[in-house]
Amino acid sequence: MTESRPNAEQSEYWNTIAGPKWLDLQHQLDLQLAPYGRAALEAAHPAFDESVVDVGCGCGATTLELGKRVGETGRVLGVDIASAMIARARATAEASGRRNVAFECTDAQTFPFARASVGLVYSRFGVMFFADPVAAFRNLARALRPNGRLAFVCWQSIHDNPWMSVPMMAAMQHITLDIPADPHAPGPFAFADAERVCGMLQAAGFTEARASAFRTDMLIGGGAPLEQAMDFMLRISPLSRPLAEVDAATRHTVIEAIRRAVASYEVGGIVRMPSAAWIITAQKEARP
Ligand SMILES: C[S@@+](CC[C@H](N)C(=O)[O-])C[C@H]1O[C@@H](n2cnc3c(N)ncnc32)[C@H](O)[C@@H]1O
């Protein structure tokens, strides 16, 4: 980690490993994640004419949705550290003719946002990857006007998310997985402890930080039968790397164990697995 590029490791990960998968699977991922993004949008209440920053906007689905909600005189800036995802977001926005959205490939922790320029900072699962979350939220707070709002959705713990824990436990019967020793290390489950997250927001200059639980069945791959859901999961999940590193027989054994574990969640030809997220909201302090 260097001082000038504090998130170099995550940048490398999202630009070379995860980003290409998110580009390939964008449609299924957007369908799968839409309910969580909507729940955060309801909490965010984007207002007509408002300026918004969408943090870790990925391929831009939520940026475009925010663009609709704020109307033609509102503005939305989507920021993401992965250049190919930002290129996809720009192309989609251009094709849709939506003119009130713009995108920046940058690190949201350090990007020099115009001070006190926006009313809302929003994110769908894009804020759990900062090396220094307090510094990142302080930077985002600077972009907010006094009394501006922050609203984002992040995952609760892996144990509360069987869509992740069930395949992992099945795999761990046969192979050893590298589980990060630090539960708060940057990654999808880094914000599982909502009390800690609210504390970090307070330290960064926010008030009224609150977490509310959002639980729903996740439609794997956006609503797919077992074989397609398995294919989707094995491509996107953190298991894809360890599976690529083992011999063919072990890989087959692990995949069969995952398939048996996931099969019981297929109902009416669709795999639905319980999930739990936090909707976090906070306000920028009133003094400038
Ligand atoms: C789980 S994906 C979510 C993408 C998008 N919000 C969505 O819901 O489709 C997390 C995103 O955060 C981005 N990201 C990670 N660290 C970042 C940082 N420091 N600054 C900006 N974006 C970051 C990644 O490149 C990735 O696109």
Side-chain angles (χ1 to χ4, degrees):
M1 193 198 304
T2 65
E3 204 180 316
S4 55
R5 294 192 64 217
N7 293 302
E9 214 174 290
Q10 285 295 320
S11 173
E12 169 80 9
Y13 174 70
W14 284 100
N15 277 291
T16 62
I17 297 172
K21 295 183 195 174
W22 278 67
L23 288 172
D24 282 354
L25 300 171
Q26 184 195 347
H27 179 63
Q28 293 100 307
L29 282 163
D30 277 337
L31 286 174
Q32 179 174 285
L33 299 180
Y36 309 90
R38 264 197 307 271
L41 269 179
E42 295 319 317
H45 290 303
F48 183 76
D49 205 27
E50 190 156 57
S51 289
V52 184
V53 172
D54 184 2
V55 182
C57 65
C59 300
T62 51
T63 319
L64 289 172
E65 181 57 35
L66 283 159
K68 271 189 218 154
R69 302 242 185 160
V70 298
E72 279 176 25
T73 53
R75 290 280 170 271
V76 188
L77 175 65
V79 297
D80 201 284
I81 208 162
S83 57
M85 292 170 93
I86 283 291
R88 170 74 59 83
R90 276 198 187 114
T92 310
E94 212 170 289
S96 76
R98 184 148 288 288
R99 288 196 227 281
N100 63 344
V101 298
F103 295 93
E104 187 76 43
C105 181
T106 189
D107 182 342
Q109 183 174 323
T110 52
F111 182 68
F113 294 102
R115 187 179 284 271
S117 58
V118 304
L120 171 66
V121 169
Y122 168 91
S123 182
R124 181 177 84 177
F125 300 121
V127 290
M128 306 90 84
F129 306 95
F130 298 127
D132 185 342
V134 174
F137 285 122
R138 199 174 289 131
N139 192 42
L140 293 166
R142 227 180 348 253
L144 279 170
R145 298 195 180 99
N147 288 322
R149 291 114 53 229
L150 168 74
F152 64 81
V153 58
C154 59
W155 295 116
Q156 294 192 30
S157 80
I158 197 164
H159 305 290
D160 293 308
N161 281 288
W163 59 273
M164 180 59 82
S165 62
V166 165
M168 279 185 75
M169 303 283 269
M172 282 165 79
Q173 290 166 9
H174 304 282
I175 53 174
T176 307
L177 298 178
D178 257 347
I179 310 281
D182 176 4
H184 306 140
F189 298 96
F191 282 9
D193 180 346
E195 213 173 304
R196 175 177 165 270
V197 175
C198 291
M200 292 192 299
L201 291 174
Q202 216 168 354
F206 287 91
T207 59
E208 309 288 327
R210 298 200 204 303
S212 63
F214 179 74
R215 292 174 190 277
T216 189
D217 278 353
M218 178 187 276
L219 305 188
I220 305 300
L226 182 62
E227 283 317 308
Q228 280 172 33
M230 280 292 294
D231 181 55
F232 172 82
M233 277 172 125
L234 293 172
R235 285 169 73 192
I236 197 75
S237 110
L239 290 170
S240 58
R241 205 186 319 194
L243 276 175
E245 285 165 1
V246 295
D247 62 75
T250 309
R251 191 176 315 123
H252 178 76
T253 305
V254 174
I255 291 174
E256 285 313 305
I258 297 174
R259 191 192 313 279
R260 277 194 302 279
V262 172
S264 60
Y265 293 92
E266 189 190 35
V267 178
I270 288 181
V271 178
R272 302 164 186 269
M273 303 184 78
S275 74
W278 294 119
I279 305 294
I280 307 276
T281 53
Q283 227 175 326
K284 164 95 180 269
E285 285 172 351
R287 62 183 161 72

